[in-house]
Every structure is written in C-alpha cells, then in structure tokens.
Amino acid sequence: MLIALALIWGASFMFIKIAVRELTPATLILGRLGLAAVTLAVLAPRGTFSSMRANATWIVVVGLVNTAIPFWLLSWGETRIQSGLASIIQAAVPIFNAALAFVFFREMRVTGWKLVGVAVGFVGVALLVGAQPEGKLLGALAVVGMALCYGAGGLLAARHLREAPAHAVALGTSAVAAVVVSPFGIAQAPHDVPSWKTFASIAVLAVFGTALAYLLFFALISSAGSGYASLVTYLVPPIALAYGAVFLDEHFGASAFVALAVILLGVALGTGGVRSFARVRRRRLASEA
C-alpha cells in the first residue's frame, strides 16, 4: 500500500506539469478538485455529510490552508520549474511541520535531534532554491510556500479535526477548495478545447492523485500507524524524478540530488523517521516469528 501511494503521488507532479501547459493553475485545480470531490461523494459512507456539518468551520480553514492555496502554489510553481525539482521541495513538508510545531504548537515537542533535523532540512531547501536561475526562482519559492501551507494544514487538522472521520475531512476540504477556486478557474478557462492529454491528466490527478490517494493514506495510517505512513515522504521524490526524466525528458544536476539527500536527512532527524521505520520493522519481524 505504501508503494502504491508513493507511485501515485510521485506521478502527480508529472501530470500537473502536463496540464499547466494548456491550463492556468486555477482552472487545473478546479477540474482536479471538483472531480475529486464528486468521486469522494459517490464513495462516501453513511454519516459522512453529518460529520462534515459538525466540523464545518475547521474543514473550511483546512480546505483553504491545506488544499486550495498549496495546490495553486504548486501548479503555478510548475509553470516555471521542473516537476522533479518541485517534488524535492515538497519533501520538506515534514520540516515545515516540525518548525511550525516548535513555534506555535507547543504541545507537540520538537527538541534535541528533531531541532537539528529542522535546521538540516532548511539547509537542503536553501541549497536547492539558491541553485535556481533568476527566471525559476519565483517558481521554486512558490513550491516552498506550498510546503509551508501543507505543514500548517497538517497541524491544524491534527489539532481540530482529530475526531472527524477521514473521509469527511477529505471530501469536505476538497469541496471547499473547489468552490473557492471556481470563480478564478472558470474566468481563466481556455477558449479552445484542451488536448486529450490535458483531460487525461486532470482525471488521473482527481481520481487517483487526490481521491484514491487520500483514502490510501488514511487507510495506511489506520493499519500501520502515522510513523509508517510518513515514510512515503522518502519515496515520492525519487519516483517523481524518475517520471520526469523518462516521460518529460527532464534533466537534473548534481545540486538537485545533493539537496534531496540533505532534505531527506533533515526529515529523518526532524520527524524521527529512522526510529519509526525501525519500530515498524521490529513489529513485522515479531509478527512473522
């Protein structure tokens, strides 16, 4: 399940890159989230909509911070930088999560090696962003903004939507973001009919990259725990780099791979990822014995 999720999310960067060749970020997001919300609504179990109403305020907030704004920043950033580079910056989301937790969410302790990991992760982000030429710098910074939003959104969801069913949060935040972006997406829609590749990219991003990925991620958390689920952070960037190189003919210099290594080291230290992996491995070995 972890590999399937990594393959889906890794491919999302490639499909965004394809879609923004013909669509503005707002139109792409409207199509992606609108179709994802419809898919999640069709699959919604009993009680989903009542749970959405009960948690409406924070679903709206998280829908803006964790979906609408970061989706737009990522899509806009990919109009200027390669999909693989965007995936490397996205890998720093746990670093921003830990940094924000240290400053604003004091009930989530970030001390010792975790603080060292935060610092190392920021060095990796700075190396990658600083290596971009002037024309791509704003695109890289937009994706950094996306990572910051994801970090904040994850903390807000953990604090205020902990008791809400995962399907209700996924459907509610997707629907809120689609509604918010709809005026811009409609106004910026192209006059000519996009190619089949663009339509296919939107469909894949909506059904697989959003709806199915959300359900897989939350199922993974329920079955194996959040520590094991967080390991997807390490798998997505190399998969996205491979997709970009094979299908989009993207090329990456040594600085990109150095930055990726530094960021992932920071994530491992800042989130306790190495210890989480070791615990999961011990549990699996014990169950097989």
Side-chain angles (χ1 to χ4, degrees):
M1 194 182 295
L2 183 71
I3 299 298
L5 183 61
L7 289 171
I8 291 171
W9 273 347
S12 294
F13 295 91
M14 175 183 68
F15 287 114
I16 290 171
K17 189 69 175 180
I18 293 171
V20 294
R21 292 171 178 172
E22 296 186 278
L23 300 177
T24 65
T27 303
L28 166 60
I29 295 167
L30 175 59
R32 175 182 182 178
L33 291 176
L35 183 55
V38 170
T39 303
L40 288 166
V42 170
L43 299 175
R46 185 184 299 274
T48 296
F49 296 100
S50 60
S51 296
M52 288 168 57
R53 288 193 295 271
N55 296 277
T57 299
W58 285 106
I59 281 178
V60 170
V61 173
V62 174
L64 293 173
V65 176
N66 198 60
T67 306
I69 298 173
F71 273 34
W72 186 88
L73 288 170
L74 175 59
S75 300
W76 187 86
E78 285 206 42
T79 64
R80 286 157 173 77
I81 66 172
Q82 296 169 308
S83 64
L85 294 181
S87 74
I88 294 176
I89 299 174
Q90 186 268 345
V93 169
I95 297 298
F96 287 98
N97 187 284
L100 290 169
F102 176 72
V103 177
F104 298 108
F105 294 76
R106 291 307 177 93
E107 70 270 24
M108 303 178 187
R109 294 179 59 81
V110 181
T111 57
W113 281 108
K114 289 188 176 182
L115 276 180
V116 174
V118 170
V120 170
F122 278 126
V123 169
V125 173
L127 286 173
L128 185 61
V129 174
Q132 302 307 307
E134 185 175 350
K136 297 183 178 182
L137 181 59
L138 287 179
L141 289 174
V143 182
V144 172
M146 174 272 293
L148 178 62
C149 287
Y150 276 155
L155 290 169
L156 289 172
R159 174 182 280 185
H160 300 288
L161 295 172
R162 183 185 300 274
E163 304 301 323
H167 201 114
V169 176
L171 172 56
T173 54
S174 296
V176 166
V179 169
V180 169
V181 79
S182 60
F184 308 98
I186 294 171
Q188 297 175 15
H191 297 294
D192 299 323
V193 178
S195 67
W196 69 268
K197 290 183 179 180
T198 298
F199 279 114
S201 295
I202 292 175
V204 171
L205 285 167
V207 177
F208 294 96
T210 306
L212 179 60
Y214 275 156
L215 297 179
L216 277 175
F217 184 64
F218 291 124
L220 196 61
I221 291 176
S222 298
S223 63
S226 59
Y228 183 73
S230 69
L231 295 177
V232 74
T233 301
Y234 303 89
L235 300 176
V236 168
I239 291 173
L241 287 169
Y243 281 132
V246 173
F247 297 107
L248 301 178
D249 197 29
E250 295 181 345
H251 303 283
F252 309 99
S255 61
F257 293 99
V258 171
L260 174 60
V262 174
I263 290 171
L264 292 183
L265 174 61
V267 170
L269 293 173
T271 63
V274 174
R275 291 189 297 274
S276 296
F277 178 78
R279 284 195 298 270
V280 171
R281 189 171 183 273
R282 284 197 298 270
R283 285 201 300 269
R284 289 197 166 187
L285 290 174
S287 66
E288 293 172 358

